[in-house]
Amino acid sequence: MFSAGAESLLHQAREIQDEELQRFCSRVSKLLQEDLGPATVDALQRLFLIVSATKYMRRLEKTCVDLLQATLSLPACSEQVQVLCAAILREMSPSNTLTLSCDHIQNPHQLSLVASVLLAQGDRREEIRSLGHHVFTILESRQPEGPSLRPLLPVLSKVVGLAPGTLQEDQASQLSRRLVDWLRYARVQQGPLHSGGFFSTPRARQPGPITEVDGAVASDFFTVLSMGQHFTEDQWLNVQAFSMLQVWLLLSSPEGPGTPDAEDRSELEGSTLSVLSAASAGRQLLPQERLRKVAFEYCQRLIEQSNRRALRKGDSDLQKACLVEAVRVLDTVCRQDPSFLYRSLSCLKALHGQLGTDPGSERALLPLAQFFLNHGAAAAVDSEAIYQHLFTRLPSERFHSPMLAFEVARFCRDNLPLFDPHLLGLLKLSFPNLFKFLAWNSPPLTAEFVALLPALVDAGTAVEMLHSLLDLPCLTAALDLQLRSSQMPSERPLWDTSLRTPGCLEAFWDPQFQPLFQHLLRTKASSSTERLAPLYQLLQPMASCARVAQCAQAVPTLLQAFFSSATQVADGTLTNQLALLVLERSDALYQVPQYKACVHRVLSSWFLALCKQKPSLVLELARELLELVGSVSSIQSRAGLFTCVGLSLPVKDEDPGPEPSHQLCTQ
């Protein structure tokens, strides 16, 4: 990941012993007392590398720490030195030796550096609240010609997130008014250009108008998607205000998004909402209400700007990110004030039709689904197409996007209480598709699906789901082949290029194996099973792939979660089916190294649990069990299962004797 030179420097930094570090700290202390020139900058860079190169905290001598704090608090000091001092002190946090205070700092940039250290310390001495009050005091007292406020807005956003009650009511109202001004009234002319030298003319240096992402001159107010060569201070504040808008809306509302009042208001009928909207239009809006109105207008403009064709890829990526945030802000605004709901629906319905045409735009589908999940019932809107897109097309087409996979899994897990029976049924029906996310991203998604499995398992899906979990590593290999055979190399994710699978790729398109691949890659539960033994042999060269091996390591944990849920809903018939399936599939697994032994340990323990749950199970499955243990080859192939299970079965003796039967015990 790093170059050889960088690796060497990191290794040296990690190997420095405490005695040598203390000597170096003494040198840094001397430089901080004598000179703040290039030698000091170089020494501070080395010290930062040392303290940040290890996972554990390095102890610095107290004199050095005190000088770092004093240098950071100097009113006149080079920005580079102060940035390095703050970075070193953050690496030491939390620490009882730090005594920084922001009370007498007036410079916004210097205050932001000190605040970064205080926030890393935690709220040990109510420092966060005092920091918030001081930052707000500077915001209130700042004159138009004064220093830039840009460094302070991220600090304020962090403070109000960590300590929501920091600002008083009048301060919160004042901040809402400031945000309204920054969001709605930023100028639409570019900032003044710097002098171009002797040959530049006054006409050439005149600022031009702000443009849209497609190059057209902007015809409406400035937003984060407005383009220009140079931005003015109020335009930069516009961008930062939008970045903290949703956080502030959530924290400053007297009735949060999850309060009973807000939930009751979301159920109001359309006629009532119209009356509310008309009533609010006839009076002076409160600062928070005015902010919601401006936020609504701002997000609508962003959605309109996202429809434009960007001239640069960076602007196109910015469009997609802003679209996600705009939908989230609209969701927050509509939860707090349902009068905006019906004005939001038209643009959001049109938005769904545009998603998926450009790779990366699918991320906006999740906040869009969240919006209709929160407001669909109140608006009487059929959002079936959105959920079908989310559970059907998205996993099939974008399973290799780790961020999207995590967001979909988290969306399903967090919103389970909001799913109505129809949507929950659609979720259960789509589990083979959701498992594609799991198969490709199993290490980070295992915990999410362990939490999600209880909602997916029922009597109708349990048998097919158990087959799918046991075949999960095989699904990973099939997804790998699907990507390798893609006709869009630029969209392919990284994989193990050392793995050569020409035979597997040819077989992927072989009509003889197409039905098996189609079953493995199905998008919905089919209530049927296929014996995939031919695919196990065909895909055996891919069993050593790192991604397949990682998936195989996650299966035992997933099986534990599955059986814990399945045994809660299983009746007698399902218990028999699961027990029989355990015995059958114990000899039909994809041959990934160490996979079979790990799976056998889980299956054997749950087979015993099924027998305890239904004591008559052994007698009801006596014939199948006897067939299972009736041949040496069967016992050898399931040795891992049998070593953990003890069975006592009545077996008819072929040799008639004084005893009509005896007990066959396998251990």
Side-chain angles (χ1 to χ4, degrees):
M1 185 171 63
F2 296 104
S3 64
E7 287 285 359
S8 176
L9 287 174
L10 286 172
H11 180 72
Q12 294 175 29
R14 294 183 183 121
E15 293 299 319
I16 290 179
Q17 301 300 315
D18 288 342
E19 183 179 352
E20 185 179 357
L21 177 59
Q22 298 311 315
R23 288 199 300 268
F24 185 69
C25 285
S26 299
R27 179 189 165 198
V28 172
S29 300
K30 186 179 298 185
L31 288 170
L32 289 173
Q33 290 174 320
E34 297 176 354
D35 180 29
L36 298 179
T40 306
V41 172
D42 180 71
L44 290 174
Q45 288 175 336
R46 292 175 181 271
L47 182 58
F48 174 68
L49 178 62
I50 294 171
V51 298
S52 62
T54 59
K55 295 181 180 179
Y56 58 91
M57 190 179 300
R58 303 298 293 260
R59 294 180 61 86
L60 305 182
E61 62 178 22
K62 186 178 186 304
T63 303
C64 182
V65 174
D66 292 340
L67 285 170
L68 288 171
Q69 296 181 88
T71 303
L72 180 57
S73 302
L74 287 176
C77 182
S78 71
E79 180 179 333
Q80 190 176 14
V81 170
Q82 289 187 329
V83 168
L84 287 169
C85 289
I88 295 168
L89 293 173
R90 282 197 303 270
E91 289 294 329
M92 295 180 55
S93 300
S95 172
N96 292 324
T97 60
L98 298 185
T99 57
L100 270 178
S101 173
C102 64
D103 296 339
H104 303 292
I105 299 176
Q106 298 298 318
N107 182 277
H109 179 74
Q110 186 182 16
L111 179 57
S112 69
L113 293 175
V114 174
S116 69
V117 179
L118 295 177
L119 291 173
Q121 278 285 92
D123 198 14
R124 294 188 173 187
R125 304 179 184 89
E126 291 291 321
E127 289 163 335
I128 291 181
R129 295 180 183 276
S130 62
L131 172 63
H133 287 300
H134 187 59
V135 169
F136 192 83
T137 300
I138 294 180
L139 284 174
E140 280 186 315
S141 61
R142 184 255 187 187
Q143 300 299 318
E145 66 277 3
S148 171
L149 295 177
R150 277 188 279 157
L152 295 184
L153 281 186
V155 176
L156 189 60
S157 177
K158 188 71 173 177
V159 166
V160 297
L162 293 175
T166 299
L167 301 183
Q168 299 173 0
E169 185 176 353
D170 58 333
Q171 292 176 324
S173 298
Q174 179 64 22
L175 180 57
S176 294
R177 293 189 189 96
R178 284 291 189 99
L179 290 174
V180 166
D181 292 339
W182 293 330
L183 289 170
R184 191 63 177 83
Y185 301 113
R187 68 192 69 182
V188 292
Q189 292 291 321
Q190 298 187 39
L193 303 179
H194 298 294
S195 175
F198 178 79
F199 294 101
S200 63
T201 64
R203 180 179 294 275
R205 292 196 301 269
Q206 290 179 355
I210 290 294
T211 62
E212 304 288 1
V213 291
D214 58 0
V217 176
S219 59
D220 208 336
F221 60 90
F222 181 92
T223 72
V224 67
L225 285 178
S226 299
M227 300 290 114
Q229 294 293 327
H230 298 275
F231 290 139
T232 60
E233 178 68 14
D234 59 340
Q235 290 167 349
W236 282 116
L237 289 170
N238 176 285
V239 173
Q240 289 193 319
F242 177 66
S243 70
M244 65 176 292
L245 179 58
Q246 188 191 20
V247 173
W248 180 245
L249 285 173
L250 288 171
L251 294 174
S252 61
S253 175
E255 40 183 54
T259 59
D261 292 340
E263 295 295 333
D264 293 341
R265 290 177 66 189
S266 68
E267 300 297 330
L268 294 173
E269 297 296 332
S271 57
T272 308
L273 296 181
S274 301
V275 171
L276 285 175
S277 180
S280 62
R283 61 175 175 81
Q284 183 69 28
L285 295 178
L286 297 174
Q288 186 66 17
E289 295 173 331
R290 173 65 175 161
L291 179 59
R292 292 193 197 108
K293 182 176 183 296
V294 169
F296 174 79
E297 295 170 350
Y298 195 102
C299 292
Q300 279 199 315
R301 170 136 169 78
L302 283 180
I303 293 174
E304 181 272 326
Q305 288 177 299
S306 298
N307 294 331
R308 297 176 178 267
R309 190 173 189 84
L311 300 179
R312 294 182 293 269
K313 184 181 184 301
D315 295 339
S316 176
D317 294 338
L318 181 61
Q319 279 180 305
K320 298 165 189 172
C322 289
L323 197 59
V324 171
E325 187 68 11
V327 177
R328 288 174 176 164
V329 172
L330 282 178
D331 183 25
T332 302
V333 168
C334 291
R335 278 187 289 167
Q336 294 179 350
D337 188 348
S339 65
F340 292 103
L341 177 57
Y342 290 93
R343 285 178 281 173
S344 303
L345 291 176
S346 58
C347 66
L348 293 182
K349 285 180 182 177
L351 175 62
H352 175 241
Q354 302 162 11
L355 299 181
T357 57
D358 188 16
S361 63
E362 302 91 345
R363 284 198 62 202
L365 184 64
L366 283 161
L368 191 62
Q370 185 71 62
F371 181 95
F372 283 100
L373 189 62
N374 292 335
H375 308 288
V381 175
D382 183 11
S383 49
E384 177 75 14
I386 295 175
Y387 302 128
Q388 287 285 357
H389 188 175
L390 179 63
F391 296 143
T392 304
R393 282 181 52 194
L394 199 62
S396 295
E397 298 172 0
R398 304 292 293 172
F399 62 86
H400 50 81
S401 170
M403 180 178 294
L404 200 58
F406 175 75
E407 289 180 347
V408 171
R410 186 177 60 177
F411 170 84
C412 296
R413 185 201 66 184
D414 293 346
N415 289 290
L416 281 175
L418 300 179
F419 286 2
D420 58 28
H422 175 73
L423 186 53
L424 188 59
L426 178 62
L427 180 69
K428 292 180 179 180
L429 193 64
S430 304
F431 83 82
N433 222 22
L434 296 175
F435 279 8
K436 293 176 184 177
F437 283 136
L438 179 60
W440 195 260
N441 308 277
S442 52
L445 286 190
T446 301
E448 302 296 324
F449 273 85
V450 165
L452 193 57
L453 276 175
L456 299 178
V457 177
D458 63 16
T461 61
V463 172
E464 186 177 355
M465 191 177 297
L466 180 54
H467 277 290
S468 297
L469 288 173
L470 293 172
D471 290 329
L472 208 59
C474 190
L475 174 60
T476 306
L479 292 172
D480 191 298
L481 289 180
Q482 181 179 333
L483 282 178
R484 289 174 189 268
S485 62
S486 170
Q487 299 301 314
M488 296 182 295
S490 62
E491 295 298 325
R492 296 175 183 172
L494 296 175
W495 54 56
D496 186 0
T497 56
S498 65
L499 194 63
R500 299 289 184 263
T501 58
C504 296
L505 282 172
E506 293 174 3
F508 185 75
W509 297 108
D510 190 333
Q512 178 184 353
F513 299 106
Q514 276 293 298
L516 295 180
F517 277 112
Q518 289 174 359
H519 174 76
L520 191 59
L521 298 171
R522 67 196 183 279
T523 60
K524 292 185 178 181
S526 60
S527 300
S528 64
T529 58
E530 292 282 348
R531 295 189 177 274
L532 302 180
L535 287 188
Y536 300 158
Q537 299 176 3
L538 179 67
L539 300 178
Q540 192 56 43
M542 302 184 68
S544 60
C545 176
R547 194 178 295 276
V548 174
Q550 284 184 328
C551 178
Q553 293 172 1
V555 170
T557 302
L558 295 165
L559 288 175
Q560 293 282 7
F562 166 80
F563 278 109
S564 296
S565 302
T567 52
Q568 301 297 320
V569 300
D571 55 11
T573 302
L574 181 57
T575 301
N576 285 14
Q577 291 175 330
L578 292 176
L580 191 57
L581 182 56
V582 165
L583 298 174
E584 291 176 350
R585 287 303 307 269
S586 61
D587 191 32
L589 297 171
Y590 187 37
Q591 297 300 313
V592 181
Q594 301 180 351
Y595 177 59
K596 192 173 185 178
C598 295
V599 169
H600 278 178
R601 281 195 291 270
V602 178
L603 294 183
S604 60
S605 64
W606 281 103
F607 183 81
L608 287 176
L610 292 173
C611 291
K612 292 178 180 178
Q613 181 171 319
K614 186 181 180 184
S616 63
L617 182 64
V618 174
L619 293 177
E620 295 177 11
L621 299 181
R623 176 175 297 180
E624 291 80 1
L625 291 170
L626 289 174
E627 291 176 355
L628 185 68
V629 301
S631 65
V632 175
S633 61
S634 177
I635 294 179
Q636 290 176 340
S637 63
R638 297 175 171 87
L641 181 70
F642 289 151
T643 53
C644 301
V645 179
L647 297 178
S648 180
L649 304 178
V651 181
K652 184 177 181 182
D653 199 335
E654 295 181 358
D655 182 19
E659 296 292 335
S661 65
H662 69 274
Q663 298 291 323
L664 172 64
C665 297
T666 63
Q667 181 71 29

